Amino acid sequence: MPASYAYLGPEGTFTEVALRTLPEAATRELVPMVSIPAALDAVRSGEAEAAFVPIENSVEGGITTTLDELVAGEPLMIYREVLLSITFALLVRPGTALSEIKTVTAHPAAQPQVRNWLKANLPDAVWESAASNADGARLVQEGRYDAAFAGEFAAARYGLVPLETNIHDAENAQTRFVLVGRPARPAAPTGADKTSVVLWQRTDHPGGLRDLLGEFAVRGVNLMLLQSRPTGAGIGNYCFCIDAEGHISDRRVAEALMGLKRICREVRFLGSYPRADITPADVRALHPGTSDDTFMSAADWVARCQDGRF
Amino acid sequence: MPASYAYLGPEGTFTEVALRTLPEAATRELVPMVSIPAALDAVRSGEAEAAFVPIENSVEGGITTTLDELVAGEPLMIYREVLLSITFALLVRPGTALSEIKTVTAHPAAQPQVRNWLKANLPDAVWESAASNADGARLVQEGRYDAAFAGEFAAARYGLVPLETNIHDAENAQTRFVLVGRPARPAAPTGADKTSVVLWQRTDHPGGLRDLLGEFAVRGVNLMLLQSRPTGAGIGNYCFCIDAEGHISDRRVAEALMGLKRICREVRFLGSYPRADITPADVRALHPGTSDDTFMSAADWVARCQDGRF
């Protein structure tokens, strides 16, 4: 049995397209799952080597189902990320004209990205939500709806044709996906990495969150995402999902995490992995005093002071 | 025509129940709307005096549709908040037994709150999403599904009976609702108030968010909610929806907002309004040096120093 990657299915969704951009996906069996929790449970149970799921969207923000799964339960770790630009095609049965479209369907997450287009082009069409964009395409194939918003790549699979392509209300609409596995040693740093953690505050007091962020800031570590998620203990009780620039083997990141471990009630490490979005940053030039060299020579200096050898 | 309040409909949802707890609702015409944007648009267009919509849930976190509507477009202001405990009843047509239930429905937001109950009691039931919990109840009445999760109060309206009540996976599951109107002078402080703002950073740099939070922290202002929302300018670009303790007429809050106005690219004031959750806090005892008195005597002292009269 080849090692398998579970992913948020069905086939023909943006998730599958994003997964196939990873070179390692070519050597794995790719198994579509019905939901994000199902994909991650397959990893936790050992059924799948890893799971590939959406985690952040430039229009909708954090994908809360994925974040909540990573925050709770058996620990998992992020190994890779993929950024995919999202544009929709309006898929119809061959021969359908725009003027004949009375009902449209897609996954609810698609709605904010096609709302303006719909208002301008099909103001009277009735929207019905589908379980996924691919499932919406299938329902159009079956004649249940007139048109579906989905990736253009889904047309052929469901015997549909794109009546309109490149539909996206927000410029640069992107979704970020992650490959998640069981905890193991993170891959070596690439020079352009990202570290994900979840933080639970010890007590709620003025400046509490600012103190947590200070552990990053005083070491020149930039944050790329801060998403609060309910702890389940009632309104106002939140933990914080944070993505920070850098790798846990970078001294500045390691020291920030040690500081957080001291002051937080709990810290969950979610992995250090290559960034999908940019070329390597020159940390030395950007933030003086935050490179590994400066951390090490500062540690040497303190040791020499402690020895009276400064 | 009486002044009207628009709310997220249809009738018989938790939103309507929460709205009716406000004394002022008794003297208004209450108009159900099909969506949160529709309810808020009714206020923007002047059709309704105010709109009542959910904004935060202790299981799901911030209600992103509401937050995004408040963040963008014509400015609106929050005047009141209501906290409602959410427990579900399983509603069926009279005579239906638990063993006969093959399909269940509710709004997608209900799913995480009934998931464990479903797994334990109806492991084979198929879930279908409804546009609202009340709409799910209507579809059960029409025979399209076997059972709906909704508030017990919805049973009578749709000719259904509660087969099971008090269903809630998370203890203390609560939803927070807000009454939103056009901008005007906020009501006077009650001593237990909350101030909501949206902040946009000027530039992204290490410590940037910490600096924003510092404006609250150095003045002893506690935060009750920090929810990041995408600005639409691509992955990693966020603004911050913040709820802070206190009223804009409290000196510590006013000074924090002035500090933010100086350092942020943009600050949107969303209102100061009475807190629904607690009895008044004794700010003087809790955080020495943060009461109006201490702010005023400190201002006097600096003025005297500037005059050489210290």
Side-chain angles (χ1 to χ4, degrees):
Chain A
M1 195 185 77
S4 72
Y5 285 173
Y7 70 95
L8 175 62
E11 298 174 64
T13 59
F14 288 107
T15 308
E16 188 194 348
V17 170
L19 173 53
R20 290 189 184 279
T21 66
L22 287 178
E24 55 266 49
T27 62
R28 264 72 170 191
E29 189 194 351
L30 306 184
V31 184
M33 307 295 285
V34 296
S35 68
I36 290 168
L40 295 172
D41 280 350
V43 178
R44 289 190 166 117
S45 70
E47 241 174 279
E49 179 190 354
F52 191 77
V53 293
I55 193 166
E56 188 183 0
N57 179 292
S58 63
V59 175
E60 284 297 281
I63 311 291
T64 56
T65 310
T66 299
L67 293 171
D68 290 350
E69 284 285 327
L70 295 178
V71 161
E74 277 292 297
L76 292 169
M77 228 173 84
I78 301 171
Y79 288 89
R80 297 275 274 171
E81 69 171 9
V82 172
L83 281 174
L84 190 74
S85 289
I86 306 288
T87 69
F88 290 89
L90 186 71
L91 306 184
V92 296
R93 291 179 298 278
T96 308
L98 193 64
S99 58
E100 296 171 286
I101 297 173
K102 305 280 174 263
T103 55
V104 297
T105 187
H107 187 266
Q111 200 171 12
Q113 299 187 47
V114 302
R115 192 182 288 146
N116 293 343
W117 187 91
L118 263 181
K119 204 182 269 186
N121 296 279
L122 287 170
D124 298 322
V126 175
W127 172 280
E128 297 274 350
S129 289
S132 70
N133 295 321
D135 205 51
R138 189 180 57 75
L139 293 170
V140 171
Q141 182 182 34
E142 291 178 3
R144 200 147 137 209
Y145 303 117
D146 299 328
F149 291 100
E152 196 177 346
F153 47 81
R157 197 184 297 255
Y158 295 98
L160 304 177
V161 292
L163 196 59
E164 182 90 29
T165 60
N166 208 28
I167 301 171
H168 52 96
D169 282 6
E171 285 302 319
N172 308 318
Q174 286 190 313
T175 296
R176 192 181 141 229
F177 298 87
V178 287
L179 185 71
V180 174
R182 288 179 294 279
R185 171 180 284 272
T190 65
D193 303 283
K194 184 185 276 189
T195 294
S196 297
V197 289
V198 189
L199 309 179
W200 285 263
Q201 283 178 281
R202 212 184 280 275
T203 57
D204 186 29
H205 59 93
L209 177 58
R210 197 211 21 178
D211 293 346
L212 303 193
L213 302 188
E215 297 290 337
F216 294 106
V218 297
R219 294 165 185 107
V221 177
N222 201 13
L223 301 188
M224 312 180 68
L225 174 74
L226 184 148
Q227 175 87 41
S228 52
R229 292 303 304 149
T231 61
I235 288 275
N237 286 281
Y238 285 93
C239 61
F240 300 98
C241 299
I242 287 181
D243 288 350
E245 272 182 5
H247 193 282
I248 191 170
S249 68
D250 294 335
R251 297 290 290 254
R252 67 189 188 288
V253 175
E255 207 177 85
L257 295 187
M258 286 187 273
L260 290 165
K261 187 71 183 166
R262 281 188 279 107
I263 67 172
C264 285
R265 181 162 64 73
E266 194 185 336
V267 180
R268 179 177 276 210
F269 176 61
L270 291 181
S272 289
Y273 47 95
R275 289 178 60 169
D277 54 340
I278 60 149
T279 48
D282 185 344
V283 168
R284 218 165 314 197
L286 281 176
H287 313 303
T290 60
S291 68
D292 277 7
D293 293 354
T294 61
F295 268 89
M296 283 184 283
S297 63
D300 281 350
W301 175 77
V302 168
R304 287 199 310 277
C305 290
Q306 288 166 335
D307 274 357
R309 298 185 293 110
F310 49 92
Chain B
M1 196 184 77
S4 71
Y5 286 174
Y7 69 96
L8 174 62
E11 296 173 65
T13 59
F14 289 108
T15 308
E16 187 194 349
V17 171
L19 173 54
R20 289 189 184 279
T21 67
L22 287 178
E24 54 267 49
T27 61
R28 263 72 172 191
E29 187 193 355
L30 307 184
V31 183
M33 307 295 286
V34 296
S35 68
I36 290 169
L40 296 172
D41 280 349
V43 178
R44 289 192 166 115
S45 70
E47 242 173 279
E49 178 189 354
F52 191 77
V53 293
I55 194 167
E56 188 183 0
N57 178 291
S58 63
V59 175
E60 285 297 283
I63 310 292
T64 55
T65 309
T66 299
L67 293 171
D68 290 351
E69 283 287 328
L70 295 177
V71 161
E74 276 293 296
L76 293 169
M77 228 174 83
I78 301 172
Y79 288 88
R80 297 275 275 170
E81 68 170 9
V82 173
L83 280 174
L84 190 74
S85 289
I86 306 287
T87 69
F88 289 90
L90 186 71
L91 306 184
V92 297
R93 292 179 297 279
T96 307
L98 193 63
S99 58
E100 297 171 288
I101 298 174
K102 306 279 175 265
T103 54
V104 297
T105 187
H107 187 266
Q111 199 171 15
Q113 299 186 48
V114 302
R115 194 183 285 147
N116 293 341
W117 187 92
L118 263 181
K119 203 184 267 187
N121 297 278
L122 287 170
D124 299 323
V126 175
W127 172 280
E128 296 274 351
S129 289
S132 70
N133 295 321
D135 204 52
R138 190 181 56 77
L139 293 170
V140 172
Q141 181 183 34
E142 291 177 4
R144 197 146 139 211
Y145 303 116
D146 299 326
F149 291 100
E152 197 178 346
F153 47 81
R157 195 183 297 254
Y158 295 100
L160 303 177
V161 293
L163 197 58
E164 182 90 29
T165 60
N166 208 27
I167 300 172
H168 52 97
D169 283 6
E171 285 300 320
N172 309 318
Q174 286 190 314
T175 296
R176 193 180 139 229
F177 299 86
V178 286
L179 184 72
V180 174
R182 287 179 295 279
R185 172 180 283 271
T190 65
D193 303 282
K194 186 184 274 189
T195 293
S196 297
V197 289
V198 190
L199 309 179
W200 286 262
Q201 284 179 280
R202 213 183 279 275
T203 57
D204 186 29
H205 60 92
L209 176 58
R210 197 212 20 180
D211 293 346
L212 302 193
L213 301 187
E215 297 291 336
F216 295 105
V218 297
R219 295 166 182 106
V221 177
N222 202 14
L223 301 189
M224 312 181 69
L225 174 74
L226 184 149
Q227 176 86 41
S228 52
R229 292 302 306 150
T231 61
I235 289 275
N237 286 282
Y238 286 93
C239 60
F240 300 98
C241 299
I242 286 180
D243 287 351
E245 274 182 4
H247 192 283
I248 191 169
S249 68
D250 294 335
R251 298 290 289 253
R252 66 189 188 288
V253 175
E255 208 178 86
L257 295 187
M258 286 186 271
L260 289 165
K261 187 71 184 167
R262 280 189 279 108
I263 66 172
C264 286
R265 180 162 64 76
E266 193 184 337
V267 180
R268 179 177 277 209
F269 176 62
L270 291 181
S272 289
Y273 47 94
R275 288 177 61 170
D277 54 341
I278 60 150
T279 49
D282 184 346
V283 168
R284 218 166 314 196
L286 281 175
H287 314 302
T290 59
S291 68
D292 276 7
D293 294 353
T294 60
F295 268 88
M296 282 184 284
S297 63
D300 282 351
W301 175 76
V302 168
R304 289 199 309 275
C305 289
Q306 289 166 336
D307 273 357
R309 298 184 294 111
F310 47 95

